[in-house]
Amino acid sequence: MTTHDITNRNAPSDRAQSGAAMTGAFIRRLDLTTFRNYAALRLDVDRTPVLLAGANGSGKTNLLEAVSFFAPGRGLRRASLPDVARLSDGVSAPGWAVAVQVDGSHGPVALGTGLEARPGGAAARRAVRIDGEPARGQAAFAEHMSIVWLTPDMDRLFMEGGTARRQFVDRMVYGFDAEHARRLSSYEQAMRGRQRLLRDGVGDTAWLAAEEESMAAAGVAIAAARREVVARLDAAIAAEDSVREEPFPRAGLVFEGEVETWLDVEPALAVEDRLRELLARNRSRDAEAGRALHGAHRSDLAVRHRTKDMPAALCSTGEQKALLIAIVLAHARLLGLARGAAPVILLDEVAAHLDEGRRGALAERILALGAQAWLSGTDAGLFEAFGNNAQLLDVSSGRVSAC
Ligand SMILES: Nc1ncnc2c1ncn2[C@@H]1O[C@H](COP(=O)(O)OP(=O)(O)OP(=O)(O)O)[C@@H](O)[C@H]1O
Ligand SMILES: [Mg+2]
């Protein structure tokens, strides 16, 4: 089922424990065309951490967002594609483009994406190109490079509803299993289709059954992948040296829900039957509720502070941020070991939340990972701990220059 093995839970732990640096996929060059506040940009970088310093509104997050379009989904802001096109003097550019040259898992490659204006008034569409050739969808980028991120929007991840946490887990799964994104969209589509039929009182049970069949097949595959990746991550964090825990606490993670509980005791095919039957039995309740009351969309990620044995939601703001950073770094390391190349890591405004000691520890961990990390901050001083091991760039009104 997977592009990269997620079943062998123990294999890479020796290297993980020793903290040996591995090499990561990295971006050599980034080109932007009418992307947000950038009219045009060409940026050449090396494999070391890319530190973006600049005033509020200068274009730091926009750069991270541009890179995030090479992961499945709509980028780190979950923006609608036309909103990304450069708006200047009240006029929006007809499209936008982001291109990167990457030293990826299979060597050098050119990746490109964007919203492509089409002649004759046809609707603009998302373009996906690999070495100049059109690719089926952006899931194809995952073969060359995986990307993980942490943004200020995620600060309330443990406090809010389950949707954001499921998306967080889904992004973690993408790096291991490029098919995950496609399964998510077929699940969503089938769930919406079924709900529409129920709402309209369509009595065609064959049609309903077909939607429920799709929901069950995709839903169980989604639940299995989330449960597996989270369990692997939990095991990898548990195996980390607890003496080195400070200042980023170790998290305990479990992906919980009805379907996941069934998967603990039954093979996937039996769980599929169970979910399909349950959906069929619940048609009138779901019609009344206006949504499906069972399925993969009801499950959630539970996180606790391992040492304090405290649910993350009850931890302090600073502890929650530190837990999140620890999870993202542990995931990056696990992914690196599974793929043989660390992911590109995007950390928006992370340094600003940390005291000096924690900033030092973060720099040390990023450098040990051997991953190309892109960090943003309003002040170059926030990045002092990287010393000469990183490239410091100044961002100013949609322009980027070396400091
Ligand atoms: N489609 C667009 N066209 C033109 N400009 C845009 C567009 N979308 C956003 N912007 C502008 O881009 C600028 C930079 O935004 P960005 O979020 O990258 O800033 P930032 O450097 O991260 O700032 P902060 O430190 O406040 O987070 C903002 O002034 C924003 O209004
Ligand atoms: Mg920003």
Side-chain angles (χ1 to χ4, degrees):
M1 83 177 231
T2 57
T3 314
H4 300 279
D5 176 31
I6 59 169
T7 53
N8 185 357
R9 199 165 294 177
N10 299 318
S13 61
D14 288 352
R15 250 201 302 168
Q17 293 256 319
S18 73
M22 53 195 162
T23 54
F26 74 97
I27 295 168
R28 282 181 181 286
R29 177 173 152 182
L30 171 70
D31 284 284
L32 305 183
T33 312
T34 54
F35 182 95
R36 301 258 187 211
N37 66 329
Y38 293 89
L41 174 83
R42 174 183 166 166
L43 182 63
D44 292 286
V45 288
D46 63 35
R47 63 162 61 245
T48 63
V50 182
L51 311 176
L52 306 167
N56 294 137
S58 56
K60 304 177 298 294
T61 303
N62 291 347
L63 279 181
L64 303 185
E65 184 189 28
V67 173
S68 75
F69 276 107
F70 293 99
R74 287 181 292 154
L76 57 72
R77 283 196 174 102
R78 301 183 63 78
S80 82
L81 299 182
D83 282 351
V84 175
R86 183 161 191 260
L87 186 64
S88 175
D89 298 327
V91 180
S92 188
W96 54 270
V98 186
V100 285
Q101 286 182 15
V102 175
D103 262 32
S105 311
H106 309 297
V109 66
L111 310 178
T113 190
L115 186 67
E116 216 162 47
R118 289 195 294 164
R125 65 172 169 209
R126 173 104 190 233
V128 174
R129 286 206 182 78
I130 299 180
D131 281 334
E133 297 295 323
R136 224 177 105 213
Q138 78 258 45
F141 293 144
E143 278 300 306
H144 301 277
M145 168 174 67
S146 56
I147 301 171
V148 301
W149 62 73
L150 193 54
T151 66
D153 284 353
M154 290 156 67
D155 284 353
R156 293 188 51 78
L157 191 77
F158 303 128
M159 314 298 286
E160 286 168 347
T163 307
R165 279 185 298 274
R166 279 189 296 277
Q167 287 165 355
F168 178 61
V169 170
D170 289 331
R171 286 201 303 277
M172 297 206 275
V173 175
Y174 292 152
F176 293 98
D177 183 358
E179 285 301 306
H180 190 65
R182 260 192 278 276
R183 282 193 215 107
L184 283 169
S185 59
S186 49
Y187 183 80
E188 287 288 326
Q189 215 179 325
M191 186 159 67
R192 274 199 304 271
R194 173 178 179 268
Q195 214 55 45
R196 228 175 357 250
L197 293 172
L198 291 174
R199 187 196 60 203
D200 299 345
V202 175
D204 185 339
T205 49
W207 201 353
L208 271 168
E211 299 288 29
E212 285 160 3
E213 174 106 43
S214 305
M215 267 183 85
V220 171
I222 290 165
R226 288 170 171 166
R227 173 175 164 275
E228 179 64 32
V229 167
V230 170
R232 261 198 91 180
L233 185 58
D234 180 69
I237 293 173
E240 278 174 10
D241 185 354
S242 59
V243 179
R244 289 183 54 236
E245 174 164 337
E246 283 302 314
F248 297 112
R250 291 187 300 161
L253 303 120
V254 58
F255 200 79
E256 298 176 326
E258 191 174 35
V259 180
E260 289 74 9
T261 310
W262 297 339
L263 282 167
D264 285 340
V265 291
E266 283 179 346
L269 278 179
V271 175
E272 253 181 69
D273 290 344
R274 243 201 216 227
L275 180 56
R276 200 184 53 237
E277 285 158 17
L278 188 62
L279 288 167
R281 268 205 312 277
N282 273 278
R283 284 173 189 167
S284 52
R285 278 184 61 200
D286 289 354
E288 222 169 277
R291 66 204 161 98
L293 297 171
H294 299 272
H297 62 290
R298 306 284 289 169
S299 304
D300 200 351
L301 173 71
V303 179
R304 67 191 164 81
H305 188 301
R306 198 175 271 274
T307 315
K308 291 174 68 170
D309 199 16
M310 181 75 75
L314 299 184
C315 289
S316 75
T317 315
E319 284 172 334
Q320 290 186 24
K321 187 82 183 181
L323 270 170
L324 261 180
I325 295 172
I327 293 170
V328 168
L329 294 181
H331 171 249
R333 186 169 59 229
L334 187 64
L335 197 52
L337 291 165
R339 295 177 62 116
V344 170
I345 306 175
L346 310 176
L347 300 174
D348 195 16
E349 275 179 49
V350 164
H353 290 261
L354 304 176
D355 56 39
E356 202 181 336
R358 284 180 171 79
R359 288 202 296 273
L362 177 67
E364 199 180 293
R365 291 196 186 195
I366 287 173
L367 291 168
L369 263 177
Q372 188 188 49
W374 294 59
L375 289 89
S376 73
T378 47
D379 190 321
L382 292 167
F383 302 127
E384 244 163 35
F386 283 93
N388 293 327
N389 300 310
Q391 45 206 318
L392 184 60
L393 301 173
D394 179 70
V395 184
S396 171
S397 309
R399 288 202 171 76
V400 183
S401 52
C403 281

